[in-house]
Amino acid sequence: MNDQFDTQVELYNIFSTSSELLGALEIPGVTDEYVLNNKIRRVMADTTVMQQDVNDTLPFFDYTFVPMNGQTNNHLVSRSSLEFNIYSSTWSSVSSIYKVLHSILQNTYEDAQIYYSGQGSSGIIGVVRYVFRVRQLTKS
């Protein structure tokens, strides 16, 4: 079981090579690091700021570890959560991306549990946001 830093890198490597996810993100066949980083964003908690010109990069998602709550003396138990925010102009695109991400997480981490999900506000008209959180991916 990895720590949060290693897990973020590991997930990025998996996401950036998943042809199914890249298709759902509408990434062209030939990609570079700039394109991938605009579609698959590793961010710090509470730092996503939406701007009006976001439509140029839709759809995309970001992910971050939200701060851990509580304490545990067992290094095999983690109270940290990985939060995903999916942004798009259509719900069908959000649904496609969510299903691929969910499949990747289930196939990569057998104990991954989605414990929170639902619609969120992007703050921009015409941009929908879906949020979900996953537990049990890292050690404390």
Side-chain angles (χ1 to χ4, degrees), residues 62-131:
D62 63 33
Y63 64 102
T64 186
F65 280 96
V66 294
M68 189 183 315
N69 57 5
Q71 294 179 337
T72 178
N73 293 326
N74 183 348
H75 75 281
L76 298 176
V77 175
S78 178
R79 294 180 187 262
S80 62
S81 300
L82 185 62
E83 180 178 281
F84 289 84
N85 294 283
I86 304 170
Y87 301 90
S88 184
S89 57
T90 66
W91 278 111
S92 61
S93 175
V94 167
S95 175
S96 297
I97 295 166
Y98 171 79
K99 288 175 182 176
V100 174
L101 287 172
H102 185 258
S103 176
I104 289 171
L105 292 169
Q106 290 297 304
N107 291 331
T108 306
Y109 303 97
E110 64 184 41
D111 58 347
Q113 299 172 358
I114 294 177
Y115 73 95
Y116 173 87
S117 66
Q119 181 178 347
S121 172
S122 69
I124 297 179
I125 295 172
V127 177
V128 295
R129 174 179 166 230
Y130 189 78
V131 181

Side-chain angles (χ1 to χ4, degrees), residues 6-25:
D6 293 336
T7 300
Q8 275 195 321
V9 171
E10 179 178 73
L11 284 170
Y12 182 83
N13 291 336
I14 293 167
F15 295 152
S16 64
T17 58
S18 167
S19 60
E20 191 175 7
L21 181 58
L22 297 180
L25 290 169

Side-chain angles (χ1 to χ4, degrees), residues 1-4 7 65 76-78 80 136-140:
M1 193 176 287
N2 292 332
D3 62 23
Q4 292 180 3
T7 300
F65 280 96
L76 298 176
V77 175
S78 178
S80 62
Q136 308 293 340
L137 297 184
T138 63
K139 63 185 175 185
S140 297

